[in-house]
Amino acid sequence: MIKSGDRVLVLTDDDSRYLITLKEGGIFGTHLGNILHEEIIGKEYGDVIKIGRSLAYLLKPGIVDHIFTLNRRTQIVYPKDMGFIILMLDIKDGDLVIECGAGSGSMTGAFARFVGPNGRVVSYERREKFMERARENVSRLGLEKRVTFKLKDIEEGIDETNADAFFLDIPEPVPHLKNVLNSLKGGGRFCVLCPTTNQVQDVLEALKELGAVDVEVWEIFVRKMKTNPKRFRPEDRMVGHTAYLIFGVKVSRGGEIG
Amino acid sequence: MIKSGDRVLVLTDDDSRYLITLKEGGIFGTHLGNILHEEIIGKEYGDVIKIGRSLAYLLKPGIVDHIFTLNRRTQIVYPKDMGFIILMLDIKDGDLVIECGAGSGSMTGAFARFVGPNGRVVSYERREKFMERARENVSRLGLEKRVTFKLKDIEEGIDETNADAFFLDIPEPVPHLKNVLNSLKGGGRFCVLCPTTNQVQDVLEALKELGAVDVEVWEIFVRKMKTNPKRFRPEDRMVGHTAYLIFGVKVSRGGEIG
Amino acid sequence: MIKSGDRVLVLTDDDSRYLITLKEGGIFGTHLGNILHEEIIGKEYGDVIKIGRSLAYLLKPGIVDHIFTLNRRTQIVYPKDMGFIILMLDIKDGDLVIECGAGSGSMTGAFARFVGPNGRVVSYERREKFMERARENVSRLGLEKRVTFKLKDIEEGIDETNADAFFLDIPEPVPHLKNVLNSLKGGGRFCVLCPTTNQVQDVLEALKELGAVDVEVWEIFVRKMKTNPKRFRPEDRMVGHTAYLIFGVKVSRGGEIG
Amino acid sequence: MIKSGDRVLVLTDDDSRYLITLKEGGIFGTHLGNILHEEIIGKEYGDVIKIGRSLAYLLKPGIVDHIFTLNRRTQIVYPKDMGFIILMLDIKDGDLVIECGAGSGSMTGAFARFVGPNGRVVSYERREKFMERARENVSRLGLEKRVTFKLKDIEEGIDETNADAFFLDIPEPVPHLKNVLNSLKGGGRFCVLCPTTNQVQDVLEALKELGAVDVEVWEIFVRKMKTNPKRFRPEDRMVGHTAYLIFGVKVSRGGEIG
């Protein structure tokens, strides 16, 4: 049963989407008319309400809805990349995952979800406002207890040394790769996200010297299709680029890396 | 510490990959020479061994290695699709997920991983050999306790009625869509995987009549890049198609569907 | 030397593009200030002029500039598809090419260019306004003498019987395929442009019955890259779809087709 | 009428393709049995012959068939790129086009075709064997009279100074860009083909200094679809990469460039 305080995704019959945090006495304006929060409280997910003469559906926002409605200042990691990263980093329940920076907290939330109740995410971010925003965004998923936010530049070092996975998404990744590898346990996996080919080249060069193995670079495209069954066809426009994804594994090589 | 019975991914310096299940006294032949299992047992993941004069790295096989080394008879779901499906179906710990059919168990394993220790996967498969193979493949991930395999054609009905998510990957999906929707709870999400546009059109037509909402169709491409930092460029060949992914949400519309 | 009556593409230093048809005494307004046509007349292509304090380059508009500045009411054929069509239809000097409909005349102009001075394009169009617009657009390329426009529905038949190539771009292609094949000489090539998969399926079905050979279907994507050499990367957005391109060859099979 | 000396594409009913140069008394072996050249001589393009019990179609090889059956030692330019290059370089009848190197002569042939009987192609190639092979390949299209082959390294300079278009496809393009621009007339267009991002970055850097305008970089993908109308879907594999295409225009900037 949907109750006050819950976040509900209202999908109208003409495919508009509204994300509402319910409170008693609340009113929410849509292009079809107002919704009284009370009309929603007490209903079940999947139920139908009326806005004026139109129908609207009460859905539970999923992680993808969450990503696209983040309170954000920075680029987000798109679902197309996020799912692939989760698999390639082999994220699973109980893992210790480190990320830097927190950005808007989109990957933070995904990691927090997939490490499960016994896992842990440590998120390094040197800008306090970003950290707070990321924390708030993770809270919306109800997963803030799984995340430790650290207001710190990783140039000063990374406290952890036995991480299962590391996700690095910062403007200048190269100087920090050695620290990233040292924070991982043997066989630990990392992902570096780079928008430009120049950066990818520099990261690849550095990873070679640092002795990372199983290094792969991937690019992911998604294309949405129109859903008219009589006129099935792709949408006219698509996302052309978000970032290149670099993956690799840390190995020991008999002690210190680098 | 790596021990007898573990599965180890041995990555050679020239990028060959061998997946070995360790047993005492075992010998494994590679293109570089033999490996005695004893050389591996007792080492740590990330450690380096020698095969002849070459180096090789001991890695823990991840879910992606698992997918590509499945004992299989059927098409697998590729990582590019798998990660996106996990996100779009909003899979999280504690979920009840139903799939049909089991195929080679690649999605079964992924669902089992991401529903966590408190979740449950029910996998319907009407061909016993496939079911056993899928079960065996999930066992390799150590996740068989999270999965109930049912040797049953879903034409005879689906036992569950309150699923969080349904994944349908069978040759003729249309006749089963009503059953799929009835097995989901309100707001539950489903994915239908279709290789051909004809099928997508038929599924979209059927979903319209059944009143599913938030229906989307996606196609996902991945491109691997070569990792020479001095000559960075995409690989010459890529996967052109696996399947179209249809997603949607079940809503009540005041009772029975259809 | 650029003279009155010529069409000039003015490219400003900040990458705005203006297409100007020159006349004595003319003035053209841009975001950087006015250009007197007299400042351009008498210059050479490749020369630089000043607009206020900014530089601007005088370029000869190419066929791609032409396509994107067409006076148009309908969808155009994009360069990505156009070049591929020209090659797959094996267009060369001296060819007789038929198209239906004229649309905005974008393909008409391309065909007119590549059949050369000894070739001929016949363009069927049943809507007079479209025909006139296509004629005007081809005139801008100076190629109107190579094209015969016919105001006629091809349902009433196609006058030619010995065409080298046929380009069919109409909303309902299937009923006209027999006529298309009958207008081609033996070994003649055709292209049918279809935005939806439903149409492609219907056309493929019909072509099978009509005995066309070497039938292929292609889809073409182009991605533009950003040109900052320090931050090389693809543009964020790209065209996701224009149309599927169906190609085939007409063979005799001992007489009448169909 | 097909005669001795002609090149014929024989397409069998099971989609095998054989390119035959006919001579009296010739015999050609196929997987379906032998074809006597005499069975073909005297027939028309589009006619059907029998090979054993199977049907085969007599087609006139097009430029795309020509590309894929080139006698070659080097990478060819694929149709997907070729058509786009022809449009972006604004190739038309009467043009003077320079290319370097000749490679296998695939672009040479395309340029020769599209400059028409009054145009001219100059092809620089420093390796004699490659030059002879390219010449032979252009001859197969019957277009050798439109092409001047020059056995010369363009480091020693380019003889022409008034070219409409330049196509540069060599391993180290950067040192030659100044020469390329000097060989073009004002407003002349060029294309540089680069397989790697490192090269693209270097070329972009150099073009900036040389003052080229309207610089664009494109990447082109094509995907072939399977043609079963009941099971319409893309092919499983596609070409992932050939090269990045860099385009630009030469402007005067008041005299010498560079």
Side-chain angles (χ1 to χ4, degrees):
Chain A
M1 213 182 71
I2 302 170
K3 55 190 193 308
S4 182
D6 286 353
R7 299 180 87 220
V8 176
L9 180 69
V10 177
L11 177 75
T12 66
D13 226 9
D14 57 355
D15 278 330
S16 292
R17 306 168 84 84
Y18 298 99
L19 197 60
I20 308 178
T21 303
L22 297 172
K23 57 177 180 214
E24 274 155 60
I27 298 180
F28 191 91
T30 78
H31 71 297
L32 297 169
N34 287 339
I35 308 173
L36 303 178
H37 291 201
E38 275 154 35
E39 296 174 66
I40 298 178
I41 294 169
K43 292 269 191 326
E44 300 288 340
Y45 289 110
D47 279 357
V48 184
I49 61 168
K50 287 208 162 182
I51 312 178
R53 289 184 201 165
S54 303
L55 296 182
Y57 309 99
L58 306 179
L59 307 184
K60 191 165 194 158
I63 193 165
V64 172
D65 305 303
H66 174 76
I67 297 165
F68 286 115
T69 56
L70 284 180
N71 186 348
R72 64 193 176 102
R73 296 203 160 187
T74 59
Q75 201 59 24
I76 54 168
V77 176
Y78 275 62
K80 72 180 181 74
D81 298 321
M82 182 181 279
F84 197 73
I85 292 168
I86 293 292
L87 290 180
M88 291 291 280
L89 289 182
D90 202 42
I91 305 303
K92 57 196 162 304
D93 47 274
D95 274 3
L96 168 62
V97 179
I98 311 178
E99 73 166 9
C100 175
S104 301
S106 59
M107 275 311 298
T108 328
F111 287 132
R113 164 169 288 195
F114 294 117
V115 297
N118 303 314
R120 177 130 295 271
V121 179
V122 179
S123 178
Y124 285 85
E125 175 59 60
R126 57 180 188 173
R127 296 156 298 179
E128 191 162 5
K129 276 196 185 164
F130 280 76
M131 192 187 81
E132 288 315 321
R133 201 174 306 272
R135 191 199 302 275
E136 181 197 320
N137 281 325
V138 173
S139 298
R140 289 196 188 162
L141 285 172
L143 297 171
E144 67 279 16
K145 288 196 182 146
R146 298 180 184 177
V147 184
T148 308
F149 286 97
K150 296 192 174 181
L151 187 66
K152 186 176 170 184
D153 193 322
I154 59 168
E155 214 175 318
E156 303 158 26
I158 297 167
D159 308 327
E160 295 74 20
T161 57
N162 209 27
D164 295 285
F166 201 113
F167 177 66
L168 188 65
D169 178 13
I170 55 176
E172 299 289 344
V174 171
H176 305 292
L177 293 172
K178 191 177 166 182
N179 277 349
V180 165
L181 288 172
N182 282 329
S183 74
L184 286 167
K185 68 180 189 188
R189 292 156 199 271
F190 60 87
C191 174
V192 187
L193 190 147
C194 296
T196 73
T197 61
N198 314 65
Q199 276 184 327
V200 177
Q201 294 156 22
D202 292 346
V203 169
L204 289 175
E205 198 77 71
L207 289 176
K208 240 179 171 173
E209 279 174 38
L210 293 168
V213 301
D214 213 9
V215 174
E216 297 186 351
V217 185
W218 291 87
E219 196 183 4
I220 300 167
F221 305 79
V222 294
R223 191 161 62 150
K224 201 174 179 180
M225 314 289 287
K226 298 189 177 181
T227 54
N228 180 342
K230 304 285 190 223
R231 295 189 54 73
F232 185 57
R233 49 165 293 176
E235 301 249 0
D236 299 314
R237 303 279 298 167
M238 62 185 271
V239 171
H241 185 65
T242 51
Y244 299 98
L245 307 177
I246 307 170
F247 298 98
V249 178
K250 177 248 189 84
V251 288
S252 316
R253 295 188 182 268
E256 261 297 283
I257 282 173
Chain B
M1 214 182 68
I2 303 170
K3 53 187 197 307
S4 182
D6 285 353
R7 299 181 86 220
V8 176
L9 179 68
V10 177
L11 178 73
T12 66
D13 227 9
D14 58 352
D15 278 331
S16 292
R17 308 169 82 86
Y18 298 99
L19 199 59
I20 309 179
T21 304
L22 298 172
K23 60 178 176 213
E24 273 154 60
I27 298 181
F28 191 90
T30 79
H31 71 298
L32 297 169
N34 286 339
I35 307 173
L36 304 179
H37 290 201
E38 276 153 35
E39 296 174 64
I40 298 179
I41 294 170
K43 292 268 192 323
E44 299 289 340
Y45 289 110
D47 280 357
V48 183
I49 60 167
K50 285 206 163 185
I51 313 179
R53 290 186 202 162
S54 303
L55 297 182
Y57 309 99
L58 305 181
L59 308 183
K60 191 164 193 161
I63 194 165
V64 172
D65 304 303
H66 175 77
I67 296 164
F68 286 115
T69 56
L70 284 179
N71 187 348
R72 65 192 176 102
R73 295 205 159 187
T74 58
Q75 200 59 25
I76 55 168
V77 176
Y78 275 63
K80 71 179 181 77
D81 298 322
M82 183 182 280
F84 197 74
I85 291 168
I86 292 293
L87 290 181
M88 292 291 281
L89 289 182
D90 202 43
I91 304 303
K92 58 195 162 305
D93 46 274
D95 273 4
L96 168 61
V97 179
I98 312 177
E99 72 166 9
C100 175
S104 302
S106 59
M107 276 311 298
T108 328
F111 287 132
R113 164 170 288 196
F114 295 116
V115 297
N118 304 314
R120 177 130 294 273
V121 179
V122 179
S123 178
Y124 284 86
E125 175 58 60
R126 57 180 188 173
R127 296 155 300 178
E128 193 162 5
K129 276 193 187 168
F130 280 75
M131 192 187 82
E132 288 315 322
R133 200 174 306 271
R135 190 199 302 275
E136 182 197 320
N137 281 325
V138 172
S139 298
R140 289 197 188 162
L141 285 172
L143 298 171
E144 67 278 16
K145 289 196 181 147
R146 299 181 184 175
V147 184
T148 308
F149 286 98
K150 297 193 172 180
L151 187 67
K152 185 176 169 183
D153 192 324
I154 59 168
E155 213 176 318
E156 302 160 27
I158 297 168
D159 308 328
E160 297 72 20
T161 55
N162 208 27
D164 295 285
F166 202 112
F167 177 66
L168 188 66
D169 178 12
I170 55 175
E172 298 288 347
V174 171
H176 305 291
L177 292 172
K178 190 176 168 183
N179 277 351
V180 165
L181 288 172
N182 282 330
S183 74
L184 286 167
K185 68 180 190 188
R189 292 158 199 268
F190 59 87
C191 173
V192 186
L193 190 148
C194 295
T196 73
T197 61
N198 313 66
Q199 275 184 329
V200 176
Q201 294 155 21
D202 292 346
V203 168
L204 289 175
E205 196 77 72
L207 289 176
K208 238 179 171 174
E209 279 174 38
L210 291 168
V213 302
D214 212 8
V215 174
E216 296 186 353
V217 185
W218 292 86
E219 195 182 6
I220 298 167
F221 305 80
V222 294
R223 190 161 63 147
K224 202 176 178 177
M225 315 289 285
K226 298 188 177 182
T227 55
N228 180 342
K230 304 285 188 221
R231 296 188 54 73
F232 185 57
R233 51 165 292 176
E235 301 249 0
D236 300 313
R237 303 279 299 168
M238 61 184 273
V239 170
H241 184 66
T242 51
Y244 299 98
L245 307 177
I246 308 169
F247 298 97
V249 178
K250 176 245 187 85
V251 289
S252 316
R253 295 187 183 269
E256 260 298 283
I257 282 173
Chain C
M1 214 183 67
I2 302 170
K3 53 188 197 304
S4 182
D6 285 353
R7 300 179 88 219
V8 176
L9 179 69
V10 177
L11 177 73
T12 66
D13 226 9
D14 58 352
D15 278 331
S16 292
R17 307 169 82 86
Y18 297 99
L19 198 60
I20 309 179
T21 304
L22 297 172
K23 58 177 180 215
E24 274 154 60
I27 299 180
F28 190 90
T30 79
H31 71 297
L32 297 169
N34 286 340
I35 308 173
L36 303 178
H37 290 202
E38 276 154 34
E39 296 174 67
I40 298 178
I41 294 170
K43 291 269 191 326
E44 300 288 339
Y45 288 110
D47 279 357
V48 183
I49 61 167
K50 284 207 165 186
I51 313 179
R53 291 184 201 165
S54 303
L55 297 181
Y57 308 99
L58 305 180
L59 307 184
K60 192 165 194 158
I63 193 165
V64 172
D65 304 304
H66 174 78
I67 296 165
F68 285 115
T69 55
L70 285 179
N71 187 346
R72 65 193 175 101
R73 296 205 160 187
T74 58
Q75 199 59 24
I76 55 169
V77 177
Y78 275 62
K80 72 180 182 77
D81 297 322
M82 183 182 280
F84 197 74
I85 292 168
I86 293 293
L87 289 181
M88 291 291 281
L89 289 182
D90 201 42
I91 305 302
K92 57 195 163 305
D93 47 272
D95 274 4
L96 168 61
V97 179
I98 311 178
E99 72 165 10
C100 174
S104 302
S106 59
M107 275 311 299
T108 327
F111 287 132
R113 163 170 288 197
F114 295 116
V115 298
N118 303 314
R120 177 130 295 273
V121 179
V122 179
S123 177
Y124 285 86
E125 175 57 60
R126 58 181 188 174
R127 296 155 299 178
E128 192 161 6
K129 276 194 186 165
F130 280 75
M131 193 186 81
E132 288 316 321
R133 200 174 306 270
R135 190 199 303 273
E136 182 196 320
N137 281 325
V138 172
S139 298
R140 289 198 189 162
L141 285 172
L143 297 171
E144 66 278 18
K145 288 197 180 145
R146 298 180 184 177
V147 184
T148 308
F149 285 97
K150 297 194 172 179
L151 187 67
K152 185 175 170 185
D153 192 324
I154 60 169
E155 213 176 318
E156 301 158 29
I158 297 167
D159 307 328
E160 297 73 20
T161 56
N162 208 28
D164 294 285
F166 201 113
F167 177 66
L168 188 65
D169 177 12
I170 55 176
E172 298 287 346
V174 171
H176 305 292
L177 292 172
K178 191 177 168 181
N179 277 351
V180 166
L181 287 173
N182 282 331
S183 74
L184 285 167
K185 69 180 189 189
R189 293 158 199 268
F190 59 87
C191 174
V192 186
L193 190 148
C194 295
T196 73
T197 61
N198 314 65
Q199 275 183 328
V200 176
Q201 294 156 22
D202 292 346
V203 169
L204 288 175
E205 196 77 73
L207 288 175
K208 237 178 172 175
E209 278 174 39
L210 292 169
V213 301
D214 212 10
V215 174
E216 295 185 353
V217 185
W218 291 86
E219 194 181 7
I220 298 167
F221 305 80
V222 293
R223 189 162 64 148
K224 201 175 179 179
M225 315 289 286
K226 297 188 177 181
T227 56
N228 181 341
K230 305 286 189 219
R231 296 188 53 74
F232 185 57
R233 50 165 292 175
E235 301 249 1
D236 300 314
R237 304 278 300 167
M238 61 184 272
V239 170
H241 185 66
T242 51
Y244 299 97
L245 307 177
I246 308 169
F247 298 98
V249 178
K250 177 247 186 82
V251 289
S252 316
R253 295 188 183 267
E256 261 298 283
I257 281 174
Chain D
M1 212 181 70
I2 302 170
K3 54 189 194 308
S4 183
D6 285 354
R7 298 180 88 218
V8 175
L9 180 70
V10 177
L11 178 74
T12 67
D13 226 9
D14 57 354
D15 277 330
S16 292
R17 306 169 83 85
Y18 297 99
L19 198 59
I20 308 179
T21 303
L22 298 172
K23 58 178 179 214
E24 273 155 59
I27 298 182
F28 190 92
T30 78
H31 71 296
L32 297 168
N34 287 338
I35 308 173
L36 303 177
H37 290 200
E38 276 155 35
E39 296 174 66
I40 298 178
I41 294 169
K43 292 269 191 325
E44 300 289 340
Y45 288 110
D47 279 358
V48 184
I49 61 168
K50 285 208 165 184
I51 313 178
R53 288 184 203 165
S54 303
L55 297 182
Y57 308 98
L58 306 180
L59 307 184
K60 191 165 196 159
I63 194 165
V64 173
D65 303 304
H66 174 77
I67 298 165
F68 286 115
T69 56
L70 284 181
N71 186 348
R72 65 191 175 105
R73 294 203 160 188
T74 59
Q75 201 57 25
I76 55 169
V77 176
Y78 276 62
K80 72 180 182 75
D81 298 320
M82 184 182 278
F84 197 73
I85 292 168
I86 293 292
L87 290 180
M88 291 291 281
L89 289 182
D90 201 43
I91 305 302
K92 58 197 162 304
D93 47 274
D95 274 4
L96 168 61
V97 179
I98 311 179
E99 73 166 8
C100 175
S104 301
S106 59
M107 276 311 297
T108 328
F111 287 132
R113 165 170 288 195
F114 295 116
V115 298
N118 303 315
R120 178 130 293 271
V121 180
V122 179
S123 178
Y124 285 86
E125 176 58 60
R126 57 180 188 171
R127 296 156 300 178
E128 191 162 6
K129 275 194 187 167
F130 280 76
M131 193 187 82
E132 287 316 321
R133 203 175 303 273
R135 191 199 302 276
E136 182 196 321
N137 280 325
V138 173
S139 298
R140 289 197 189 162
L141 285 173
L143 297 172
E144 66 278 16
K145 288 196 181 146
R146 298 180 184 176
V147 184
T148 307
F149 285 97
K150 298 193 173 180
L151 187 67
K152 185 176 170 185
D153 192 322
I154 58 168
E155 214 174 317
E156 303 159 27
I158 297 168
D159 308 327
E160 296 74 20
T161 56
N162 209 28
D164 294 285
F166 202 112
F167 177 66
L168 188 65
D169 178 12
I170 56 176
E172 299 288 345
V174 171
H176 305 291
L177 292 172
K178 190 177 165 181
N179 277 349
V180 166
L181 287 173
N182 283 329
S183 75
L184 286 167
K185 69 180 190 189
R189 292 157 198 267
F190 60 87
C191 174
V192 187
L193 189 147
C194 295
T196 72
T197 61
N198 313 66
Q199 275 184 328
V200 177
Q201 294 156 21
D202 292 346
V203 169
L204 289 175
E205 197 77 70
L207 289 176
K208 239 177 170 175
E209 279 174 38
L210 292 168
V213 301
D214 213 9
V215 174
E216 296 186 351
V217 185
W218 291 86
E219 196 182 5
I220 299 167
F221 305 80
V222 294
R223 192 161 61 149
K224 201 175 178 179
M225 315 289 285
K226 298 188 176 181
T227 54
N228 180 341
K230 304 285 189 224
R231 296 188 54 73
F232 185 57
R233 49 164 292 175
E235 301 249 1
D236 300 313
R237 302 280 299 167
M238 63 184 271
V239 171
H241 185 64
T242 52
Y244 299 98
L245 307 177
I246 307 169
F247 298 98
V249 178
K250 177 246 188 85
V251 289
S252 317
R253 294 188 182 269
E256 260 299 282
I257 282 173

